Amino acid sequence: MAAGPPPSAAQRYRPNAFVSLPAELDPDTYDASPEKRRAEAERLAIRARLKRQYQLQINNPNPPAVIENPALHRWVYARTHNVYPTFRPTPKTSFLGAVCAIGPLLFWMAVFKMDRDRKEKLIKEGKYERPFSVF
Amino acid sequence: SEMTKDMLPGPYPRTPEERAAAAKKYNMRVEDYQPYPDDGFGYGDYPMLPNKSHHERDPWYQWDQPDMRHNWGEPIHWDFDMYIRNRVDTSPTVVPWHIMRKHFLIFLSTMLIMFGLGEIYPSYRPVGPKQYPFNDLYLERGGDPSKEPPVVTHYEI
């Protein structure tokens, strides 16, 4: 039985964490059901309302000194002030904290200690050649 | 800023009313609003938006902020500063990622294996020790000029 035609480039494409699926290959774009259109209409309504607010502020004859973006304030607040109150020690966060914070500390402590011990042993045996000796 | 407490991000929403209020706060539809999973990582009720960089946003649309390709009031991605147009680009590639990765790994492993083999089994033209004139450079190497240097012949006739 023949293998059939080889897969086209569109069929071979697989999105992952680094590249996204283009709209042309996404079956969602070709779905024109009424629910999707209503969802799009609602999103457009939200966007239009926000645009209107922004345009009113921009085209104001006495514009305020700075037009603040509440979305930006919320983003900044979420990344800075809201992390500690919403943090919770769970098995996952404790494990990650141990690996990222305590792990490298212990690792480098061990590396330096072993290196120093090796050098000390060589010096005691007289085999170590001082690299920057002034003698 | 003069934003009230209920306009700022808060803890993870537990009830559907909290979810609806959070969606309204972030200017999103209730169906679109999806917070990060409550793993205790500190995200709170911040929405999880698709991980698409700003390279993919329409360059021809009239954004309120054209350099950021962002509209006023639109919910900002958690990793927004990573996805700006100077940084990470998640645009779809011409060649699928797994094929690129496969080709790169094949090339890299072939080159490394060949270099490794070349180190273990070196191959070069036959060589001999270097021959110096003037009796192996006797005077240049600090030999005594009053004494007779030891005779060194590098040839055979």
Side-chain angles (χ1 to χ4, degrees), chain B residues 55-68:
Chain B
H55 288 262
E56 291 187 57
R57 295 199 173 194
D58 191 355
W60 297 107
Y61 173 78
Q62 296 270 30
W63 300 98
D64 292 335
Q65 246 185 313
D67 53 343
M68 293 283 114

Side-chain angles (χ1 to χ4, degrees), chain A residues 39-120:
Chain A
E40 282 295 322
E42 282 177 21
R43 285 188 206 122
L44 185 61
I46 294 178
R47 209 159 55 225
R49 174 170 56 82
L50 291 171
K51 261 236 194 275
R52 182 163 191 277
Q53 283 179 5
Y54 180 64
Q55 291 291 332
L56 281 175
Q57 287 182 291
I58 278 252
N59 296 321
N60 193 349
N62 299 321
V66 165
I67 299 180
E68 296 183 351
N69 186 359
L72 192 65
H73 288 301
R74 280 190 281 267
W75 179 73
V76 168
Y77 184 87
R79 293 243 308 205
T80 52
H81 292 89
N82 204 28
V83 176
Y84 181 69
T86 50
F87 175 79
R88 215 176 60 232
T90 66
K92 196 164 155 195
T93 56
S94 319
F95 172 71
L96 276 178
V99 161
C100 297
I102 308 177
L105 204 64
L106 295 175
F107 172 72
W108 287 112
M109 275 162 64
V111 163
F112 288 137
K113 183 85 173 79
M114 291 199 310
D115 187 47
R116 281 260 154 200
D117 286 344
R118 183 180 58 87
K119 225 188 263 189
E120 184 66 26

